[in-house]
Amino acid sequence: MYTYEQIREVLISQISQLHEIEPKWKQCIKCPNSGHCCIGADITIYNYEWNIIKKFLFENPIVFDEVKLHYKRKSLCYFRTNDKCLIHNIRPLNCIFTPYQAIYGADKRIHYSPYKKDCSFLIPTSISCNGVDLSQLFIKLPDGNTFTFYLLLNHWYRNYEEKSIVCDSQVCLSNVLGHFLKEY
């Protein structure tokens, strides 16, 4: 079983490798579209990640106040503003591998969001795995008229993910906000 720190380190290393073999992804390093790929993304926060986020919120009251406003508005992601992620440096693993991920599902299909230069690629798609070498870490998948390499997460992360405890971000934030919620 991997630790959170090991997973994060390996994931960041593999994304760096992906940037080298697929130059399209290099634009994501500087995030020219202000986290556009995160809009509407399904965010999973594990308990160990939540503890890191909670500590950060308590140490950063201005950020915490903004998160409270997003919570009150029932935003899809409480940590994202119109132009940035409030917790970018400590964002959950799920946020780190968005948008690079491809997953071989129980339905025997590969699930991913096709790359788009403007980062509006959160339209999930799935394809048959026929002809795709699932033993590879990086797999080339169609994204319209061309093909792009993606990080196949099944190799190590999926097994770890299935054994980890997930914290529902709304429930976790409700517990942290506690008495603040009475104001709303």
Side-chain angles (χ1 to χ4, degrees):
M1 180 99 153
Y2 299 103
T3 66
Y4 169 74
E5 290 78 17
Q6 289 170 320
I7 291 284
R8 187 177 180 90
E9 183 179 317
V10 169
L11 180 59
I12 290 170
S13 171
Q14 290 176 346
I15 289 170
S16 292
Q17 291 172 45
L18 180 62
H19 289 161
E20 293 306 313
I21 64 169
E22 186 61 76
K24 292 178 188 179
W25 292 120
K26 285 188 178 185
Q27 78 166 2
C28 298
I29 295 170
K30 294 189 179 182
C31 193
N33 293 305
S34 304
H36 193 73
C37 70
C38 299
I39 297 172
D42 179 25
I43 299 168
T44 301
I45 300 175
Y46 298 98
N47 281 343
Y48 48 85
E49 294 172 317
W50 181 248
N51 289 331
I52 294 167
I53 293 168
K54 183 170 52 174
K55 181 178 186 279
F56 176 81
L57 292 176
F58 286 134
E59 292 172 352
N60 296 276
I62 294 170
V63 172
F64 194 17
D65 287 343
E66 191 155 355
V67 169
K68 288 180 218 175
L69 288 174
H70 290 283
Y71 180 86
K72 177 183 173 186
R73 294 178 186 144
K74 300 185 188 307
S75 300
L76 190 57
C77 176
Y78 308 126
F79 309 110
R80 190 183 190 303
T81 67
N82 289 334
D83 62 352
K84 68 180 178 180
C85 173
L86 296 169
I87 60 168
H88 184 79
N89 291 337
I90 58 162
R91 68 195 185 280
L93 294 174
N94 185 266
C95 298
I96 293 172
F97 62 66
T98 297
Y100 311 104
Q101 70 177 334
I103 296 178
Y104 175 64
D107 60 356
K108 308 274 190 240
R109 296 182 63 79
I110 298 172
H111 300 268
Y112 68 106
S113 295
Y115 171 88
K116 291 192 178 176
K117 189 172 183 161
D118 69 355
C119 303
S120 62
F121 45 86
L122 281 177
I123 301 169
T125 192
S126 68
I127 61 168
S128 166
C129 65
N130 293 339
V132 178
D133 184 354
L134 298 174
S135 68
Q136 297 297 308
L137 181 60
F138 305 107
I139 58 175
K140 205 167 202 171
L141 301 172
D143 62 5
N145 298 329
T146 63
F147 287 82
T148 300
F149 278 101
Y150 290 82
L151 175 61
L152 184 62
L153 291 178
N154 294 66
H155 290 279
W156 52 272
Y157 186 76
R158 183 126 186 237
N159 183 45
Y160 182 74
E161 185 177 55
E162 289 169 353
K163 293 178 180 175
S164 299
I165 299 169
V166 175
C167 179
D168 179 289
S169 59
Q170 184 171 7
V171 171
C172 287
L173 193 56
S174 294
N175 292 338
V176 170
L177 292 176
H179 67 276
F180 297 108
L181 294 175
K182 293 176 186 171
E183 299 172 21
Y184 302 116

